Amino acid sequence: MDANGPPWVAAARPGFPGALLDRAPCGYIAFGDDALVRLVNATLLDRLGYAAGEIVGRHVEAIFTVPGRIFFQTHLFPLVMLHGAAQEVFVLLRANDGTSVGMLCNAVRQARDGAFVTDCVLVEVRERRKYEDALLLAKREAERTNRTLEEQALELELQHQQLQDQADELERQRAEAEEARNAAAAANRAKSEFLAVMSHELRTPLNAIGGYTQLLETGIYGPVTTEQGEALRRIARSQRHLLGLINDVLNLARVETGRVEYSITDVPLSEVIAELAAMIEPQMAAKQLTYAVIAPHGELTVRADREKLVQILLNLLSNAVKFTPPGGRITLRCTAAAGVPGMAALEVEDTGRGIPDDKLEAVFEPFVQVRASGFGATEGTGLGLAISRNLARGMGGDLTATSTVGVGSRFVLTLPRSAPRGA
Ligand code: ADP
């Protein structure tokens, strides 16, 4: 810039404090009604990077950006022409380096020296815009966050509703299952009661059949021919079979309805073993089976109903005899430790045909019998193991089985051990 100050200012307005205007902390530009620039101060020239000669005498639109120019033509210029003034109008000016500069403009159109001149004061709004931009950004961000929060709240509400629905559904299923369980339990009780009554009613006439058959066999009602004798023996066998079946059904019904009473005492196993041997050894001998008993040295005593314990073991040993071919071996093993603290185990092991894996649990269901190929239909009702397991559980123990087809089976009865004497 000229060291003597901008000559166009001083020249245009003698006596006008041009140097002061040049140093003003805002831009100043004046144009006539023809829109040609009359005056411009150094502050604005410096800010925009123009030399005075590039602006003065030229159309004022030269310092506007393209959108700024449109705005000048459609708003600012008509405003000052119509109203003589414009206040705080935002204009976009174009600096010499191509960047745009936002400024606030106050303009006044007034007559001077016989012509109209519009004086404009321009204040850059860079700082203010920065804050406005920051504020705008913050506002947008807050709005976005708010929207996200609202969406999340909605999502949560949806999830809450879904969970509630699931909980309702689960509750409904639980209630249904409970109802079904109650119905099944009631049906089972009714069935057991029916069986108990029927079995009882059947036993009386069956006992009469047995009694009269025996009487006939003795010849008390007159001589019996050989054929008649054979027929009577068949009747007696069938009667015994039927009576056994009915007794089993009655037993199971009693066990299932919980009508069995247990008289639990300390039962020394040595006594039970001796009792069993007397009952089972004739059957073993008839089938040439070897019978071995393995028991600990000291006395082992369990808490059980003695009669029911014998019933269970007799059932296990009879099955072992039934399902083990001649020449096989049957072992009764008693151990103080059943793997569960405080329990003793009584195992009946045979070298018989075994039970397939998928039938191991089923044999404890009532009326289930495994038909093995090569073996004919077996005697029995399929109730013995169901009754035995129920009795074992009724005495606080359990009855389980392991087996290998063709090798043998092992049935394990666990029962609580008696407390050591003096304890
Ligand atoms: P039952 O002996 O009257 O048929 P159980 O309830 O005592 O009734 O036994 C059910 C079924 O389990 C038997 O029919 C048989 O198929 C199988 N089973 C039981 N014990 C043995 C065994 N020791 N070896 C092989 N199969 C056995």
Side-chain angles (χ1 to χ4, degrees):
M1 190 177 296
D2 196 318
N4 298 321
W8 63 92
V9 172
R13 300 287 319 272
F16 190 86
L20 195 63
L21 183 62
D22 269 342
R23 283 200 305 272
C26 60
Y28 167 80
I29 194 165
F31 55 86
D33 282 354
D34 53 5
L36 296 181
V37 177
R38 302 282 192 277
L39 288 171
V40 60
N41 75 345
T43 311
L44 188 62
L45 289 173
D46 284 351
R47 175 62 190 94
L48 298 181
Y50 294 111
E54 290 176 276
I55 305 290
V56 179
R58 297 187 56 193
H59 201 288
V60 71
E61 282 177 9
I63 64 162
F64 286 92
T65 59
V66 174
R69 217 171 283 168
I70 296 169
F71 180 76
F72 175 80
Q73 290 166 3
T74 56
H75 287 81
L76 186 57
F77 194 65
L79 208 61
V80 286
M81 293 306 282
L82 277 172
H83 298 289
Q87 293 270 321
E88 290 185 33
V89 177
F90 181 73
V91 292
L92 270 177
L93 302 186
R94 198 179 72 87
N96 204 9
D97 62 6
T99 55
S100 63
V101 179
M103 293 201 167
L104 271 187
C105 171
N106 275 1
V108 183
R109 179 170 172 268
Q110 46 204 341
R112 202 156 59 229
D113 303 334
F116 277 97
V117 176
T118 300
D119 294 301
C120 304
V121 173
L122 295 148
V123 179
E124 191 166 352
V125 290
R126 190 171 38 195
E127 286 304 304
R128 204 176 107 175
R129 277 195 74 195
K130 221 161 64 191
Y131 294 131
E132 275 175 3
D133 285 352
L135 266 176
L136 205 68
L137 262 178
K139 186 169 164 247
R140 281 206 195 114
E141 187 59 29
E143 276 170 6
R144 223 190 345 263
T145 310
N146 199 23
R147 262 202 308 281
T148 313
L149 279 175
E150 274 173 7
E151 277 166 19
Q152 284 175 351
L154 220 70
E155 178 73 11
L156 275 177
E157 173 63 24
L158 208 75
Q159 285 176 358
H160 174 80
Q161 190 55 48
Q162 279 172 354
L163 279 177
Q164 184 66 48
D165 288 352
Q166 283 172 1
D168 289 352
E169 176 61 17
L170 276 178
E171 174 56 26
R172 199 183 58 70
Q173 287 176 358
R174 196 199 58 75
E176 261 179 30
E178 169 98 27
E179 215 171 281
R181 221 181 6 258
N182 288 343
N188 202 34
R189 258 197 315 279
K191 179 205 74 183
S192 297
E193 268 158 26
F194 169 77
L195 284 178
V197 173
M198 280 307 287
S199 305
H200 188 75
E201 292 303 314
L202 286 171
R203 270 201 310 183
T204 315
L206 256 186
N207 278 330
I209 294 172
Y212 283 109
T213 313
Q214 272 177 3
L215 284 177
L216 282 173
E217 273 183 308
T218 58
I220 204 168
Y221 298 119
V224 178
T225 65
T226 321
E227 283 86 7
Q228 285 170 342
E230 181 51 33
L232 286 173
R233 272 188 293 283
R234 281 193 188 169
I235 292 173
R237 253 204 316 278
S238 296
Q239 182 268 349
R240 276 198 301 277
H241 178 71
L242 210 50
L243 196 60
L245 174 65
I246 285 165
N247 280 338
D248 278 354
V249 170
L250 187 62
N251 267 336
L252 182 68
R254 278 211 194 107
V255 175
E256 282 192 343
T257 45
R259 275 189 296 194
V260 170
E261 299 212 340
Y262 297 90
S263 89
I264 304 284
T265 56
D266 287 332
V267 184
L269 288 184
S270 58
E271 291 175 15
V272 174
I273 290 168
E275 196 177 325
L276 284 168
M279 292 191 270
I280 205 76
E281 269 167 2
Q283 296 178 41
M284 304 262 186
K287 237 179 141 180
Q288 292 114 50
L289 296 168
T290 314
Y291 180 47
V293 176
I294 301 171
H297 284 307
E299 182 60 270
L300 183 55
T301 310
V302 293
R303 296 287 297 162
D305 179 315
R306 185 189 175 119
E307 246 180 55
K308 295 182 175 74
L309 171 57
V310 171
Q311 184 185 340
I312 297 171
L313 288 173
L314 198 59
N315 178 235
L316 296 180
L317 287 166
S318 305
N319 277 350
V321 170
K322 202 156 59 176
F323 298 107
T324 305
R329 182 183 174 86
I330 292 166
T331 311
L332 171 61
R333 187 182 298 110
C334 310
T335 47
V340 183
M343 302 294 273
L346 292 113
E347 301 175 7
V348 175
E349 198 178 79
D350 62 49
T351 56
R353 69 187 207 196
I355 304 167
D357 269 356
D358 60 334
K359 294 285 183 321
L360 259 187
E361 264 308 296
V363 293
F364 291 101
E365 301 287 326
F367 303 109
V368 172
Q369 292 185 311
V370 183
R371 299 224 178 284
S373 57
F375 292 86
T378 48
E379 282 178 38
T381 57
L383 287 171
L385 288 177
I387 294 173
S388 296
R389 177 176 267 185
N390 267 307
L391 291 177
R393 290 182 177 171
M395 294 189 287
D398 203 356
L399 179 61
T400 54
T402 52
S403 184
T404 308
V405 172
V407 176
S409 311
R410 180 197 294 157
F411 285 83
V412 183
L413 167 68
T414 53
L415 284 172
R417 264 197 329 260
S418 303
R421 237 166 274 157

